[in-house]
Amino acid sequence: MESVDNMSQLSAHTREEIDAWRAKFPEGRQRSAVIAALHAAQHQNHGYLTKELMEAVAECLEIPAIQVFEVAAFYSMFETQPVGRHSISVCTNISCMLCGGEQLLGYIEKKLGIKAGESTADHKFYLKVEEECLAACTGAPMMMIDHKYYENLTQARIDEILDSI
Ligand code: FES
C-alpha cells in the first residue's frame, strides 16, 4: 500500500519531531506545522527533499500532498534536488551589493570551481543561486552557511571559513 511505503521514508526521530510540532497547533490546524516538518525531513535526507519525503510529511500531518509541495517550492530554504552537504548563501541584495557582495560571490565561485546554483563534485558545498536580504545589513557583506551567519566578509575571511569546514 502506497501510504505505508511513504511513511517508511521518515525515520522514527523525524516522525517524533513532526508529531511534536503538530501538537503545538490546535486540532485541524496541522498545516501550520508544514515548515517545521519539512525542515526535519530535509535534515534527515542530507539537505534536500524528495517527492516521497514530501508525501510522507503530508501523510504524517494528514493534509493533501499539494499543500506540502507548495511550501517546499515557495521557500528558498528547501531544496528539492540533491545538493552538497554545506549550503552557502551569499547575500547580494542592496547593502551587501554596495559592500562588494557580488564580487565575493564571484570569488567563492572561482575558489570552489562552480557557479551559483551548483554543488562541488565531492558534494561538500552547495552554492545557492541568489539570496535576498538576510537581515544582517549592518554586517554587510555577509553570507550564511548551514544557517550560521558570517558578516563583514573579505576574501581572506572567506578562505578561513571555507577551509575550516
Ligand atoms: S542586504 Fe545583505 S543582509 Fe541585508
Side-chain angles (χ1 to χ4, degrees):
M1 212 165 97
E2 196 188 334
S3 61
V4 172
D5 288 340
N6 280 337
M7 285 300 272
S8 69
Q9 298 279 322
L10 299 173
S11 69
H13 176 75
T14 303
R15 262 180 283 178
E16 268 170 35
E17 222 177 301
I18 294 173
D19 288 344
W21 277 103
R22 181 180 177 163
K24 291 179 194 284
F25 299 100
E27 195 53 43
R29 301 283 181 178
Q30 67 269 33
R31 191 177 176 186
S32 302
V34 169
I35 289 179
L38 285 175
H39 263 304
Q42 180 166 272
H43 183 72
Q44 172 199 307
N45 198 43
H46 309 292
Y48 74 98
L49 295 161
T50 61
K51 178 174 170 281
E52 292 74 20
L53 273 172
M54 290 186 272
E55 285 171 349
V57 165
E59 277 178 36
C60 213
L61 293 176
E62 297 177 285
I63 58 175
I66 186 67
Q67 292 182 356
V68 176
F69 296 149
E70 284 170 349
V71 172
F74 181 79
Y75 288 101
S76 68
M77 69 268 206
F78 296 122
E79 304 298 337
T80 53
Q81 300 289 330
V83 292
R85 296 190 304 282
H86 300 286
S87 175
I88 306 171
S89 303
V90 181
C91 180
T92 51
N93 215 281
I94 188 71
S95 304
C96 289
M97 183 190 76
L98 291 172
C99 294
E102 286 179 332
Q103 285 82 354
L104 290 177
L105 175 61
Y107 178 73
I108 295 174
E109 286 181 326
K110 204 167 160 201
K111 181 178 170 72
L112 297 180
I114 54 173
K115 288 285 176 197
E118 296 175 350
S119 296
T120 53
D122 62 1
H123 284 279
K124 185 170 180 184
F125 292 110
Y126 167 50
L127 189 54
K128 286 183 79 94
V129 169
E130 194 186 335
E131 248 341 310
E132 293 304 321
C133 175
L134 288 166
C137 306
T138 53
M142 63 81 67
M143 67 179 173
M144 178 175 72
I145 303 181
D146 299 336
H147 308 295
K148 184 173 175 190
Y149 279 24
Y150 298 91
E151 301 177 11
N152 303 303
L153 293 173
T154 59
Q155 290 187 1
R157 183 78 185 109
I158 284 172
D159 285 344
E160 247 176 64
I161 295 162
L162 295 186
D163 294 350
S164 71
I165 292 175

